[in-house]
Amino acid sequence: MGNPGSSPSVPRHVAIIMDGNGRWAKQHHLPRLSGHEAGRKSVKQVVQAAIDHGVKYLTLYAFSVENWQRPREEVQGLMGLLRGVIREELSEMGKEGIRLRTIGRRQDLPSAVREELEAAIEKTKNNTRLDLILALSYGSRVEITEAVQSIAREVKDGGLDPEKINEKTVSAHLYTHDIPDPDLLIRTSGEMRVSNFLLWQISYAEIHVTPVLWPDFGKKEFSEALADFARRERRFGGL
Ligand code: IPE
Ligand code: IPE
Ligand code: MG
């Protein structure tokens, strides 16, 4: 789904590349996993801040398809952390009206994590205050590749005329088919790259990069990013 050409001052959809947990841990002479654990309170603060500001969709890049290449210990630690967070935050999500969703290759996740997630997704599916979308085993190129495969299948099966394929067709085959494009993309820890995140969907997103490491990012930093967004003039190619 694309966004209309207006420029409301509060972004409807904020997407965040939560980066810098490892560097934070190093700064504090702690193991990398402690950095990921410390990032948990940032997630809580940012979710609350998003609700307070009236943001409707918040997408958090929590684990990329490339992150499977990390040492086994770190991957297992992250998966355990994820499972714990989902379990422990479920009742809070209910109270706050949060609808939990995921994008990415859910089939890659360990079954214990997947079951925890699927139960939480089911339990929160009627909540309407904030859609909290976790990008898990997510990669934009694999997402686009899977979309191409599924479009090709529809053509082959005779249902779809290749001449009728347009941008809407592509969008409709992505994991994000029913989620509006992000208006604001935040990346913490200063890296000026997108790391295979929502490549199609961020075509016209405003980008805010902060040097703050993810575990140090909280409500104040989120509000600053929103204030930065409100000062931008979005043109979408027009004048
Ligand atoms: C981001 O922090 C969290 C994940 C990618 C899971 P990093 O673990 O990438 O932290 P740095 O980049 O090493 O500091
Ligand atoms: C991007 O961070 C992925 C997540 C935040 C989950 P990375 O730390 O994996 O990205 P690179 O390696 O710096 O590009
Ligand atoms: Mg990183």
Side-chain angles (χ1 to χ4, degrees), residues 18-24 32 36 62-63 67 70 74 78:
M18 310 184 288
D19 198 15
N21 296 349
R23 277 161 279 179
W24 183 94
R32 287 182 60 83
H36 299 310
F63 196 87
N67 289 149
R70 293 193 178 190
E74 180 168 351
L78 278 165

Side-chain angles (χ1 to χ4, degrees), residues 160-222:
L160 183 61
D161 175 358
E163 305 308 318
K164 297 240 166 73
I165 296 172
N166 56 27
E167 292 182 13
K168 281 204 176 74
T169 320
V170 177
S171 294
H173 287 79
L174 298 174
Y175 305 138
T176 51
H177 59 91
D178 57 351
I179 299 168
D181 288 340
D183 304 290
L184 172 64
L185 172 69
I186 299 173
R187 183 164 188 150
T188 58
S189 91
E191 237 64 74
M192 300 281 185
R193 55 177 175 257
V194 282
S195 301
N196 203 14
F197 190 44
L198 302 173
L199 301 180
W200 171 278
Q201 297 89 337
I202 59 168
S203 293
Y204 271 102
E206 296 296 324
I207 301 176
H208 176 89
V209 177
T210 166
V212 175
L213 304 175
W214 178 249
D216 292 327
F217 191 94
K219 284 192 172 183
K220 177 174 146 281
E221 289 74 18
F222 187 81

Side-chain angles (χ1 to χ4, degrees), residues 44-99:
K44 275 192 81 113
Q45 284 210 21
V46 163
V47 167
Q48 198 53 59
I51 291 173
D52 295 346
H53 282 278
V55 169
K56 297 304 289 180
Y57 299 84
L58 178 67
T59 300
L60 302 178
Y61 202 7
F63 196 87
S64 73
V65 280
E66 288 79 15
N67 289 149
W68 292 112
Q69 301 165 37
R70 293 193 178 190
R72 214 170 84 108
E73 198 185 73
E74 180 168 351
V75 170
Q76 283 181 347
L78 278 165
M79 291 300 140
L81 186 65
L82 177 63
R83 188 169 170 219
V85 171
I86 306 293
R87 193 172 358 164
E88 287 156 34
E89 299 298 333
L90 184 58
S91 73
E92 190 70 16
M93 287 193 269
K95 267 186 241 148
E96 294 292 341
I98 296 166
R99 179 184 176 196

